[in-house]
Amino acid sequence: MFWKKRITPVAARMMTWEVTTSFDGTLTETELRKRFDEDFRDVFNAGFADGECAVFFWPLVSFNASDGRKHRYLVAVAEEPLENYRKTFDRCLPKQIALYAIADKILRGEWDGENCLKCDEACTECDGECAELNNDCAEVADNGNLLFVALWEHCLYILVFMEGRLCHWSEEYGYGETFDDACRERVAHFKEFLKADELFAKMNDVGEFVVCCVKVGTVEESLHVKDLFQVAARDPFWCGKDLDECDSMKPCERRRWIMSAVALFVCCACVFAMCGGSLNLLYAKFFDNELFDLIVDAAPVELSQPAARDLEMLAWAEGHRDLLPAKWTLGRAGFVDGVASRSWRTSRGTCDSSEFSLLGIVGGRVALVKTSAGETKTLSVGDSLSRYRVKRIGMNDVVMRCGRKEVRYAVKTR
């Protein structure tokens, strides 16, 4: 209910206005108002003619005639200030659109004729009591063509529906409280207009329906008319129309948005205060499970392991010599807790050339050698052979180092 837009009935005048253009012509809003001012400069009241009251043009029907394209508009203008309604209501519409709801119900076969609305052309004195409709005077066609006549508050309304669509609206003041001879004469003249009109003359089987609003009173006094007004306001034809258009947001709508924002903020604050730390647990419960499932389904990441040489050097520095291969202890056995032993110092001068031959090199990283004993071995940088350690492996040679002595071996060619 808070978000439901409120619509109020206001006093207004409406009529049908026809404009003729070329067959492919169109009318801009400026040209439309200019032509309307030329035709109705002295009609209605001064405010209407001078533009003090907003005039609205709502399209009814457009069709080709003998002299061009004819456009018929429903012209509406409020007869009372609308500033007071603007603070409370979202839209203002003419109160007489309640008659549109009656006509629509008649076209749909849903009108029951209750609440002091009755159709009886023979009735010249209305006693104000509710009465049933006289079905003999209600001739409604099934094709959606309807001539609807209503007498309400000394005003005679004539609405014409063509194939279920409103195509004409007229209202004339100055009639009595009953459907008398003056009303019948006006309806008879209007029927002659229908026969001569280029659009309505094509209608066949036009239904006729006359209602006499017997002392229904004003809209404010009649709950039933209010209901009919709200029904009409929800009709697609009136949806979006407003006699009080504003360039910016109306106060009532702005207030509704502000209250909604405040209510949402208060609700979020209360939820956060009540949940406290449990909110984090709730978040973890729902989202961590999803992350866990993703981790389980995901392929394992291949981690790059440190080079074996680096691990061996780290193990040597940390003193874990029992974990190292024999090739590491071969040239370093003389070191005990970082102190060189005598045997190592005495052996530094015995770096004789190693007896082996270089057979080949694989990828510049592995050397294939053959010792004097006839054994074939593979050596990498850092590996030891006798007292020599592999310092560098090139594309065609290997550099061996023993203390400060370096010996280069090249691949033998046949």
Side-chain angles (χ1 to χ4, degrees), residues 149-389:
V149 182
L151 178 64
W152 183 27
E153 295 182 351
H154 305 282
C155 182
L156 185 66
Y157 297 88
I158 300 179
L159 282 63
V160 179
F161 290 81
M162 186 174 181
E163 297 180 357
R165 177 181 179 180
L166 178 64
C167 295
H168 180 88
W169 183 295
S170 65
E171 48 190 48
E172 297 181 11
Y173 289 86
Y175 291 88
E177 295 183 356
T178 61
F179 198 85
D180 52 14
D181 294 337
C183 297
R184 296 187 184 91
E185 183 179 355
R186 178 66 187 93
V187 173
H189 288 164
F190 187 82
K191 290 180 180 179
E192 296 297 326
F193 159 75
L194 292 180
K195 295 178 182 179
D197 185 75
E198 292 181 292
L199 176 65
F200 297 134
K202 303 175 184 179
M203 292 194 306
N204 297 319
D205 301 328
V206 181
E208 298 182 18
F209 205 98
V210 181
V211 294
C212 179
C213 303
V214 184
K215 296 182 180 179
V216 174
T218 63
V219 176
E220 293 78 6
E221 299 172 354
S222 175
L223 179 61
H224 180 68
V225 175
K226 287 184 178 180
D227 294 339
L228 291 173
F229 173 84
Q230 296 297 332
V231 171
R234 293 190 297 268
D235 189 87
F237 180 80
W238 303 103
C239 185
K241 294 179 173 59
D242 188 7
L243 290 175
D244 184 28
E245 291 185 350
C246 296
D247 296 334
S248 59
M249 188 181 297
K250 290 186 178 181
C252 53
E253 187 175 3
R254 186 185 303 110
R255 183 168 56 252
R256 183 163 56 247
W257 279 104
I258 293 175
M259 293 300 296
S260 300
V262 172
L264 180 61
F265 176 78
V266 172
C267 180
C268 294
C270 293
V271 171
F272 182 80
M274 289 186 296
C275 294
S278 61
L279 189 62
N280 295 330
L281 297 177
L282 185 64
Y283 179 85
K285 178 180 179 181
F286 283 97
F287 290 93
D288 287 357
N289 290 338
E290 295 181 1
L291 293 176
F292 177 76
D293 295 338
L294 292 176
I295 293 174
V296 172
D297 297 336
V301 180
E302 295 183 1
L303 300 177
S304 59
Q305 297 291 341
R309 176 68 179 171
D310 297 337
L311 294 176
E312 292 173 353
M313 293 179 65
L314 179 63
W316 177 267
E318 295 292 337
H320 302 290
R321 293 162 190 164
D322 56 328
L323 301 178
L324 297 175
K327 63 181 182 179
W328 264 90
T329 60
L330 182 60
R332 301 170 176 84
F335 284 96
V336 179
D337 295 334
V339 180
S341 64
R342 182 180 300 273
S343 61
W344 180 82
R345 289 195 300 269
T346 57
S347 64
R348 289 187 61 185
T350 61
C351 293
D352 299 331
S353 298
S354 178
E355 296 293 335
F356 73 90
S357 60
L358 181 60
L359 300 180
I361 297 175
V362 181
R365 299 179 61 183
V366 179
L368 180 64
V369 300
K370 184 175 182 180
T371 63
S372 58
E375 298 180 358
T376 302
K377 294 185 178 182
T378 57
L379 300 176
S380 301
V381 176
D383 292 343
S384 298
L385 184 63
S386 184
R387 293 185 181 276
Y388 283 83
R389 180 174 57 86

Side-chain angles (χ1 to χ4, degrees), residues 99-155:
L99 300 176
Y100 179 94
I102 298 176
D104 184 71
K105 288 180 176 291
I106 292 171
L107 287 171
R108 299 173 184 272
E110 301 175 356
W111 181 247
D112 52 11
E114 297 180 353
N115 297 286
C116 295
L117 295 172
K118 67 179 182 178
C119 167
D120 187 358
E121 295 188 6
C123 176
T124 58
E125 295 182 0
C126 298
D127 54 5
E129 296 179 357
C130 296
E132 296 291 338
L133 280 172
N134 185 353
N135 295 328
D136 295 336
C137 73
E139 300 175 359
V140 181
D142 297 332
N143 54 10
N145 298 333
L146 174 66
L147 172 62
F148 177 80
V149 182
L151 178 64
W152 183 27
E153 295 182 351
H154 305 282
C155 182

